[in-house]
């Protein structure tokens, strides 16, 4: 032990600490300064734990307190408050640099140190200063802009008041600051791991170390006697179904086949996380190790072991049949044929998984309160209820450090809930990054064989695609992935005859689930790549070829859904002069081994799935403010601003008097999941209807205030459902209406390729996007820029290998070094069926990115990469004339 004195945020502390204690734990666990985050298993990879010590940035997860005697420490809480923020915090809010907010405190602290030393840094200097900080949401552009704006504030060149939109002005089409951004900037937004309750148990899980095995015995005797252990629970202790969907379990039991490395077998509860982890290591599990089915090809081989016994290895098989594609292709003037494949991709939210649970009340009437990162709190509350066999479940959504579809599944909160219920004590399950990677779904790999044809004029005639999708060990989200992919099979183009087959196959790998776009990004990569191949074969410019084949009102998608409006043409027209300019610049660039290229791709992303519904309520308060009740999760996309600005626009109530109640399953109606880019379109609609109901009641009563409404005997709260009535596609033919709305756009990639090393660098991505009426343009820009960065990772670097990818370095997480310039042009074509003319945009954003980059690489070097990601070895192989 060592005694020392520290000044933390201006307050002197006399401490006695263990020699190996780190600053992160002192701040978070002892002083409850939880704005400092942990996102990389204390490997110094993410920067989220950054604080200032004696005027310099340090990674608090690696900094030993024993070495800091007499030091002065500043954490984000010591910089400013929401009522009196630092100018840097103001700049981050006003620049749109805060989305999920998990990485924000560390970035802000690093920004302060930079600007204290250099009041006018260049962009390169900013990138160097922030090079150790990771962000999944923004693509880094808005962070760089935030530092530049902060520098202007600190130099006195301008002020926050001058940069802030007029709060009394227009509410729609204006980038008002997000309501929760300043809370995040000040490190005060509570994420799940920030929540600590007196007497809470800390949990660890025993996970299978094998890709496929049968459990013979679980021996907890030795582990149960270890220091700090309160108890160990197995599947035998769970009173409910123990099921998380069709084939996934809370805990696997003796006799079960465990088809996945990392699947949970037992829960250890102890006084500290360290004690729980030590005891988990001591639990002895005897397994019969079974052969691993590692690939779809192995799974489909004759006599293959069944991953899910009794089901066969084909999880799903669906087709889409529009006309006669085979006949159309046989009579086409031009036909291209190619095989494309994509990889396992981790959604890679920076925040590790986390769940907290406790019982409120006594006996059988007690309510089990579960706090986690869910994006569908009502559905997850119901799933936990059934799995654990407890009637009263309340799910509360903590602030969430990104998710990108990963939280369609339960991951950690069911573990905390099971332990809290069994041990009758509050419980926290806070796994690390490696553990989180192994317990969460991923983006499915697709292997696709395609044929695309056109007539002598260049008009598309037929399209054929056979896709084999690796499902992994569990069936989660299979139906959604397949049907969304089929419904967007033809992209933005009119193809008279289409045949598609998607076969989903079980393997002993991590399971595929929802991931930004959820199915369509993979098939769009194949289609948009084939479009370039076919344009070349027909002797046409790729942009002109796309313009010729865009769906026109009255024409249909691959599911025979006839479209009344289709805004993609306007996007391509806007992109044309930019594309032509970029092509000239690339052609003029001269270098011995560096080649530059330009590629583009489009997308028409579907939103509003069959029979979807959302319930939203509004209530006029005694202060004549408005409370919105809606389970609209906001892991960073800006739903707080969407709800607030729609309400302010319709009611003329100031935004500061509009309150959001969105995080509690008991207090909110079911607004559906925050996925599928649906919340603006669905819950925005429901909010409009709820406000209209309130306004109709006030008009009928002649009321102008809450008091008038009450006096007239009218309720102050109105709940309305917005629902879609279309039935979807036929299960046999894949024909019918699947989406109610579309977001359209085109992206252009400018890249350079080093022909000696095979390295590809994205120089710039340009996007032209039509997402209907823009409620908050900054939110839309942020989504598009972040999606571009994620799409570039899919194209060039990212690949998850289960059991081998263990941190952000092995995953090749995007960094400031890989960031690139971005330009986004927004077009507003109000949608006839959208709330105030709006639609969603969050998932469209990476749809065109990977094919545009692949098309740009081919434009640069004359060779194409077919198998993502386009790593240097594949580029070099392609340059040698071999298909990569």
């Amino acid at each position: 032990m060592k005694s020392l004195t520290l000044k933390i945020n201006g307050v002197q502390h006399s401490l006695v600490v263990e020699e190996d204690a780190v600053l992160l734990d002192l701040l978070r666990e002892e002083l409850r300064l939880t704005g400092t985050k942990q996102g990389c298993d204390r490997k110094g990879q993410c920067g989220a734990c950054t604080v200032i010590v004696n005027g310099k940035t340090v990674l608090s997860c690696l900094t030993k307190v024993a070495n800091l005697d007499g030091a002065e420490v500043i954490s984000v809480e010591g910089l400013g408050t929401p009522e009196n923020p630092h100018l840097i915090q103001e700049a981050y809010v006003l620049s749109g640099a805060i989305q999920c907010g998990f990485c924000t405190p560390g970035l802000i602290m690093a920004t302060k140190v930079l600007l204290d030393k250099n009041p006018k840094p260049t962009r390169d200097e900013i990138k160097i200063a922030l090079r150790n900080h990771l962000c999944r949401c923004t693509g880094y552009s808005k962070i760089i802009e935030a530092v530049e704006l902060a520098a202007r504030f600190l130099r006195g060149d301008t002020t926050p008041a001058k940069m802030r939109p007029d709060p009394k002005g227009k509410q729609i089409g204006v980038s008002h600051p997000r309501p929760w951004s300043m809370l995040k900037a000040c490190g005060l937004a509570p994420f799940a791991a920030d929540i600590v309750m007196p007497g809470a148990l800390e949990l660890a899980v025993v996970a299978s170390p094998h890709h496929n095995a049968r459990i013979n015995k679980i021996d907890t005797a030795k582990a149960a006697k270890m220091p700090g252990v309160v108890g160990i629970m197995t599947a035998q202790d769970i009173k409910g179904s123990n099921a998380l969907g069709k084939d996934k379990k809370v805990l696997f039991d003796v006799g079960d086949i465990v088809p996945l490395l990392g699947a949970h077998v037992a829960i250890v509860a102890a006084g500290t996380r360290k004690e729980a982890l030590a005891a988990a290591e001591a639990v002895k599990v005897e397994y019969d190790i079974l052969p691993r089915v590692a690939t779809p090809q192995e799974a489909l081989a004759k006599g293959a072991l069944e991953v899910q016994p009794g089901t066969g290895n084909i999880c799903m098989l669906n087709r889409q049949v529009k006309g006669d594609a085979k006949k159309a292709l046989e009579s086409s003037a031009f036909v291209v044929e190619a095989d494309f494949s994509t990889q396992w991709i981790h959604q890679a939210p920076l925040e590790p998984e986390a769940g907290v649970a406790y019982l409120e009340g006594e006996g059988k009437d007690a309510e089990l309160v579960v706090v986690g990162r869910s994006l569908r709190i009502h559905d997850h509350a119901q799933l936990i209820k059934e799995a654990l066999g407890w009637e009263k479940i309340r799910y509360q959504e903590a602030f969430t450090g990104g998710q990108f579809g990963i939280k369609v599944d339960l991951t950690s909160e069911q573990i905390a809930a099971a332990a809290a219920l069994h041990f009758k004590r509050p419980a926290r399950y806070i796994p690390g990054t490696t553990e989180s990677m192994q317990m969460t779904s991923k983006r499915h790999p697709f292997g696709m064989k395609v044929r695309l044809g056109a007539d002598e004029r260049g008009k598309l005639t037929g399209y054929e695609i056979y896709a084999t999708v690796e499902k992994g060990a569990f069936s989660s989200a299979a139906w959604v992935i397949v049907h969304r992919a089929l419904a967007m099979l033809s992209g933005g183009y009119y193809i008279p005859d289409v045949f598609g087959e998607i076969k989903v196959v079980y393997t002993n790998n991590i399971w595929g689930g929802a991931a930004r776009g959820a199915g369509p990004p993979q098939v769009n990569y194949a289609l948009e790549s084939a479009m370039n191949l076919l344009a070349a074969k027909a002797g046409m410019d790729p942009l002109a070829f796309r313009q010729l084949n865009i769906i026109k009102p009255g024409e249909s998608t691959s599911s025979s859904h006839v479209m009344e409006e289709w805004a993609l043409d306007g996007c391509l027209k806007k992109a044309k002069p930019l594309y032509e300019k970029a092509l000239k610049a690339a052609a003029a660039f001269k270098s011995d081994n560096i080649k530059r290229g330009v590629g583009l791709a489009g997308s028409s992303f579907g939103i509003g799935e069959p029979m979807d519904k959302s319930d939203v309520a509004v209530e006029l308060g005694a202060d004549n403010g408005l409370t919105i009740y809606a389970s609209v999760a906001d892991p960073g996309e800006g739903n707080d601003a969407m709800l607030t600005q729609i309400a302010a626009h319709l009611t003329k109530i100031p935004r500061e008097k509009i309150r959001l109640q969105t995080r509690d399953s008991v207090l909110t109606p079911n607004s559906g999941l925050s996925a599928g880019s649906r919340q603006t379109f669905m819950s925005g609609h429901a909010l409009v209807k709820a406000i209209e109901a309130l306004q109709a009641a006030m008009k009928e009563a002649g009321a102008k205030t809450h008091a008038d409404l009450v006096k007239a005997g009218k309720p102050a709260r109105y709940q309305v459902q917005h629902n879609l009535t279309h039935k979807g596609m036929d299960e046999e033919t894949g024909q019918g209406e699947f989406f109610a709305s579309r977001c359209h756009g085109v992206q252009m990639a400018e890249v350079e390729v080093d022909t000696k090393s095979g390295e590809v660098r994205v120089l710039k991505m340009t996007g032209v996007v039509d997402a209907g009426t823009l409620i908050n343009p900054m939110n839309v820009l942020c989504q598009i820029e972040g999606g571009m960065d994620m799409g570039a990772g899919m194209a060039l670097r990212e690949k998850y290998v289960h059991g081998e990818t263990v941190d952000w370095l092995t995953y090749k997480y995007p960094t400031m070094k890989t960031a690139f310039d971005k330009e986004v042009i927004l077009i507003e074509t109000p949608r006839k069926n959208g709330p105030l003319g709006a639609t969603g945009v969050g998932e469209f954003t990476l749809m065109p990115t990977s094919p545009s980059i692949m098309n740009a690489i081919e434009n640069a070097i004359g060779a194409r990469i077919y198998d993502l990601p386009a790593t240097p070895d594949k580029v070099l192989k392609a340059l040698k004339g071999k298909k990569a």
Side-chain angles (χ1 to χ4, degrees):
M1 304 293 283
K2 181 175 180 178
S3 61
L4 69 157
T5 301
L6 272 180
K7 184 180 281 187
I8 301 175
N9 296 335
V11 178
Q12 200 79 14
H13 293 267
S14 296
L15 305 166
V16 178
V17 299
E18 295 181 357
E19 291 287 343
D20 63 349
V22 295
L23 183 55
L24 177 67
D25 290 338
L26 174 65
L27 294 173
R28 288 184 57 83
E29 306 303 329
E30 300 297 326
L31 302 179
R32 303 305 307 140
L33 297 172
T34 56
T36 306
K37 306 301 183 189
Q38 176 180 306
C40 64
D41 287 345
R42 305 182 184 220
K43 294 182 178 180
Q45 294 178 356
C46 73
C49 71
T50 299
V51 297
I52 301 173
V53 176
N54 297 334
K56 297 181 179 180
T57 58
V58 303
L59 298 174
S60 64
C61 73
L62 300 177
T63 303
K64 290 187 177 180
V65 182
N67 298 331
L68 298 179
D69 191 18
E72 183 171 353
V73 178
I74 305 173
S75 72
V76 70
E77 293 91 344
L79 205 59
T81 66
E83 296 74 27
N84 185 29
H86 193 281
L87 289 174
I88 295 173
Q89 291 164 323
E90 291 265 31
Y92 268 73
V93 169
L94 292 170
S95 297
I98 302 173
Q99 293 192 34
C100 80
F102 190 80
C103 66
T104 302
L107 282 160
I108 284 175
M109 302 315 287
T111 300
K112 184 178 189 308
V113 171
L114 168 65
L115 297 181
D116 282 348
K117 296 177 180 178
N118 183 354
K120 197 171 184 179
T122 65
R123 289 208 157 191
D124 284 343
E125 289 170 333
I126 292 170
K127 286 184 176 183
I128 290 170
L130 303 184
R131 66 190 181 279
N132 295 323
H133 293 258
L134 300 182
C135 174
R136 188 59 157 175
C137 297
T138 65
Y140 298 100
S141 295
K142 289 290 177 280
I143 292 170
I144 294 169
E145 291 171 20
V147 179
E148 292 173 329
L149 182 59
R152 292 176 63 201
F153 286 164
L154 291 167
R155 294 194 307 266
D157 296 347
T158 188
T159 66
K162 290 178 181 177
M163 299 300 296
R164 192 176 294 116
D166 179 4
K168 297 180 180 179
K170 283 178 58 181
Q171 297 300 314
I172 298 298
V174 178
S175 298
H176 291 290
R178 299 182 185 187
W180 290 326
S181 284
M182 188 57 77
L183 200 66
K184 296 174 181 179
C186 296
L188 300 177
F191 293 77
D194 301 337
I195 299 167
V196 175
M197 289 163 287
L201 299 170
E202 296 291 339
L203 308 178
V205 297
V206 179
S208 171
H210 307 295
H211 290 286
N212 195 21
R214 180 184 288 104
I215 301 174
N216 288 333
K217 183 181 179 181
I218 303 173
D219 183 355
T220 64
K222 179 181 176 182
K225 297 174 183 177
M226 292 183 67
V229 173
V230 173
I232 301 171
M233 64 180 297
T234 67
Q236 293 296 312
D237 299 307
I238 293 176
K239 307 305 181 187
S241 69
N242 192 33
L244 300 175
K246 178 182 173 183
D247 41 31
K248 192 167 174 271
K249 298 182 178 184
V250 178
L251 296 173
F252 284 83
D253 201 1
V254 172
D256 286 342
I257 289 177
V258 187
L260 178 69
L261 182 150
H264 296 160
V265 174
I267 302 170
V268 178
T272 68
R273 170 82 170 154
K274 186 176 181 180
E275 291 168 336
L277 287 169
E281 288 290 325
V283 173
K284 295 180 180 179
V285 184
E286 293 181 8
Y287 298 94
D288 276 340
I289 301 174
L290 303 174
R292 180 189 183 189
V293 180
T295 67
Q297 291 72 30
E298 290 179 16
L300 295 172
K302 187 176 181 180
L305 192 70
E306 290 183 339
V307 174
Q308 291 290 344
T311 67
N313 284 336
I314 297 177
C315 175
M316 280 190 71
L317 193 155
N318 279 71
R319 296 186 175 94
Q320 186 168 76
V321 184
K322 177 188 180 185
D324 190 336
K326 184 177 181 181
K327 183 178 179 182
L329 288 164
E330 286 174 351
S331 60
S332 297
F334 307 104
V335 176
V336 293
E337 187 171 349
D339 293 355
F340 300 97
S341 60
T342 67
Q343 71 276 42
W344 284 111
I345 288 182
H346 183 35
Q347 298 91 329
L350 196 59
E351 180 194 17
E353 296 305 311
V356 179
Y358 61 95
L359 285 165
E360 192 168 282
E362 300 293 333
K364 293 182 179 179
D365 293 329
E367 183 175 62
L368 180 60
V369 182
V370 183
V371 184
R373 293 165 27 86
S374 177
L375 53 78
R376 46 191 294 219
I377 58 177
H378 287 273
D379 293 346
H380 281 168
Q382 181 64 29
L383 197 56
I384 292 170
K385 171 184 172 180
E386 294 169 0
L388 302 185
W390 194 257
E391 184 63 29
K392 293 180 71 175
I393 305 288
R394 181 178 201 156
Y395 197 115
Q396 295 176 335
E397 178 208 353
F399 280 85
T400 299
Q403 57 86 15
F404 313 106
I406 207 167
K407 286 303 296 180
V408 166
D409 285 358
L410 284 169
T411 55
S412 57
E413 51 269 69
Q414 76 278 8
I415 298 296
L421 195 58
H422 180 67
F423 295 109
K424 301 297 187 287
R425 284 178 59 180
R428 294 180 359 120
Y429 179 41
I430 315 295
T433 298
T434 300
E435 195 175 350
S436 295
M437 285 182 172
Q438 292 193 350
M439 62 192 281
T440 50
S441 68
K442 305 290 177 277
R443 186 186 299 282
H444 299 77
F446 276 50
M448 296 163 284
K449 295 180 178 292
V450 306
R451 289 200 301 158
L452 184 66
D455 63 20
E456 64 281 349
R457 300 168 299 158
K459 292 283 285 181
L460 293 172
T461 53
Y463 183 44
E464 226 176 41
I465 176 169
Y466 291 85
T468 300
V469 179
E470 185 172 0
K471 190 73 203 69
F474 305 125
S475 61
S476 165
W479 189 95
V480 172
I481 301 299
V482 168
H483 286 73
R484 284 163 60 88
L486 288 174
M488 290 187 237
L489 210 57
S490 57
Y493 312 111
Y494 174 61
I495 310 177
D497 297 273
V498 177
F499 178 85
E501 179 182 279
I502 300 181
K503 184 185 297 181
V504 184
V505 183
Y506 285 118
T507 63
N508 292 121
N509 266 323
I510 194 68
W511 75 100
R516 198 176 200 164
Q522 293 94 313
V523 295
N524 196 63
Y525 159 63
L527 174 65
E528 288 290 338
S529 298
M531 287 289 287
N532 260 45
L533 292 172
L534 189 55
K537 194 160 190 177
M540 295 184 67
D541 170 76
L543 190 147
F545 182 63
R546 285 171 169 82
Q547 282 185 306
L548 179 65
N549 286 290
I550 284 172
I551 287 176
K552 299 174 180 60
E555 293 179 337
S556 62
T557 66
S558 61
S559 70
S560 295
H561 180 195
V562 177
M563 305 310 302
E564 296 179 9
E565 55 184 11
W566 203 256
L568 184 57
D569 186 48
C571 298
L572 279 168
K573 286 176 179 175
K574 199 81 171 178
K576 185 176 180 180
L578 303 173
Y579 177 63
E580 291 171 345
K581 181 181 178 182
L583 283 174
K584 288 180 182 177
F589 178 80
K590 301 300 179 186
S591 170
D592 290 339
N593 61 295
I594 304 295
K595 305 297 180 184
R596 289 189 174 178
V598 181
L600 54 79
S603 172
S604 296
F605 191 86
I607 297 155
E609 296 179 15
M611 308 303 290
D612 196 3
K613 59 186 178 182
S614 172
D615 285 83
V616 171
V618 297
E619 183 175 23
L620 190 65
D623 65 345
N624 294 309
L626 189 76
T627 301
I628 300 169
Y629 299 88
S631 59
V632 177
D634 187 1
E637 56 263 67
N639 288 326
D640 56 345
M642 178 269 292
L643 294 170
T644 303
Q645 288 180 233
I646 288 177
H649 169 74
L650 293 175
T651 64
K652 310 307 178 189
I653 294 171
R655 282 182 300 110
E656 64 268 19
K657 292 186 70 173
I658 293 173
R659 299 171 283 267
L660 300 180
Q661 182 60 260
T662 62
R663 298 179 178 273
D664 192 313
S665 65
V666 170
L667 299 179
T668 62
N670 191 346
S671 307
L673 74 170
S674 286
S677 304
R678 61 176 291 283
Q679 287 293 12
T680 295
F681 185 72
M682 293 300 301
S683 297
H685 243 314
L687 174 60
V688 170
K689 290 181 176 181
I691 289 171
E692 288 173 347
L694 170 62
Q695 290 173 330
M698 294 183 76
K699 182 177 180 181
E700 184 179 323
K704 294 186 186 233
T705 66
H706 175 269
D708 294 340
L709 203 57
V710 172
K711 186 176 180 181
K714 294 282 188 181
R717 175 172 171 146
Y718 293 84
Q719 180 172 320
V720 176
Q721 181 180 98
H722 178 65
N723 63 298
L724 302 179
T725 58
H726 63 280
K727 298 296 194 293
M729 299 183 299
D730 181 85
E731 288 295 318
E732 297 297 322
T733 65
Q735 299 299 287
E737 179 182 355
F738 195 80
F739 295 114
S741 182
R742 299 267 176 164
C743 177
H744 302 276
V746 60
Q747 288 181 13
M748 177 179 73
E750 298 173 65
V751 307
E752 62 179 28
V753 183
D754 187 325
T755 56
K756 288 186 177 179
S757 69
E759 292 283 348
V760 178
R761 185 164 76 95
V762 178
L763 302 173
K764 183 180 180 181
M765 290 294 305
T766 301
V768 183
V769 182
D770 192 324
T773 300
L774 302 175
I775 294 168
N776 185 306
M778 180 69 80
N779 281 1
V780 175
L781 282 171
C782 291
Q783 287 293 294
I784 294 168
E785 289 181 354
M788 286 174 170
D789 195 63
M790 191 178 287
M794 176 179 176
L796 298 177
R797 293 177 304 277
E798 297 178 29
K799 182 177 182 180
Y800 178 84
V801 181
H802 195 50
E804 297 179 22
T805 305
V806 295
D807 56 20
W808 301 131
L809 287 180
T810 53
Y811 186 64
K812 299 184 180 177
Y813 204 94
T815 67
M816 276 283 182
K817 185 178 179 180
T818 60
F820 44 84
D821 290 339
K822 304 172 188 72
E823 180 181 357
V824 178
I825 298 166
L826 299 174
I827 301 174
E828 293 186 75
T829 304
R831 303 299 193 263
K832 296 175 183 177
N833 63 350
L836 308 179
T839 190
V841 72
E843 291 177 291
F844 155 83
T845 60
L846 62 65
M847 289 280 288
T849 313
S850 62
S852 68
I853 291 172
M854 293 303 105
N855 291 339
I857 292 172
E858 184 180 42
N859 179 251
I861 64 173
R864 175 166 288 275
I865 314 300
Y866 294 82
D867 173 34
L868 297 184
T871 50
D873 59 311
K874 294 177 186 176
V875 173
L876 293 176
K877 187 177 179 181
L879 279 165
K880 292 177 182 177
K882 299 177 180 178
K883 185 182 288 189

